[in-house]
Amino acid sequence: MKKFIIIAMILFCCKDSNATSSTQTCSIERVKDGDTVSLSCGSKFNKEIKTVRLLGIDCPETSRNAKCRKEADCEEQIPKGLKAKARMKELLTSTVTYQYVKKDVYKRDLGYVYDSNGNDVGLVLLKENLCKDYSYKYPHPKMEEYKNASKNNR
């Protein structure tokens, strides 16, 4: 009976510690823009399409939308947004590693995406000055690293 209780406690503890972060191998369905991708994750017979917003960055818009109009600089943002999207497509080959962290207010998955070489794609875009550090809006585990990369680009 004691062994059963100990095992149950271990399983309960492990379940809670993994609830906020999980990693899986996925394939790219579509690069929506510089900071949002659609991924196909799961087994061959149980695929799940996920819309993933890269945590910690914000890229310029790629089209004339409400956010772009609100900021009143669509003509400036769109070419930069298209450049970030193109770079994202270059970085992401068919298979990536996706680390889920949490959901945002729009129910999108927020997390990190790593290319086939293990590079954090959001951090690469930040270092290349294609996107901005967005840690102030969505605090995350790698925010210090992102802030430092952003400071180096000023």
Side-chain angles (χ1 to χ4, degrees), residues 71-90:
E71 295 172 358
D73 63 349
C74 290
E75 299 307 317
E76 205 175 297
Q77 273 198 49
I78 293 171
K80 292 177 182 177
L82 293 172
K83 188 174 178 180
K85 179 180 180 177
R87 182 64 174 130
M88 174 78 91
K89 285 181 177 181
E90 288 174 9

Side-chain angles (χ1 to χ4, degrees), residues 85-103:
K85 179 180 180 177
R87 182 64 174 130
M88 174 78 91
K89 285 181 177 181
E90 288 174 9
L91 292 168
L92 300 180
T93 56
S94 60
T95 303
V96 299
T97 301
Y98 164 56
Q99 181 183 6
Y100 169 83
V101 177
K102 60 185 175 182
K103 295 247 185 226

Side-chain angles (χ1 to χ4, degrees), residues 16 55 77 82 100 111 117 145 152:
D16 286 347
L55 189 55
Q77 273 198 49
L82 293 172
Y100 169 83
N117 296 319
E145 186 177 1
N152 292 335

Side-chain angles (χ1 to χ4, degrees), residues 15-34:
K15 180 182 175 193
D16 286 347
S17 67
N18 293 329
T20 58
S21 182
S22 64
T23 303
Q24 54 190 171
T25 301
C26 304
S27 59
I28 298 295
E29 285 291 314
R30 179 175 164 229
V31 173
K32 293 188 174 189
D33 58 27

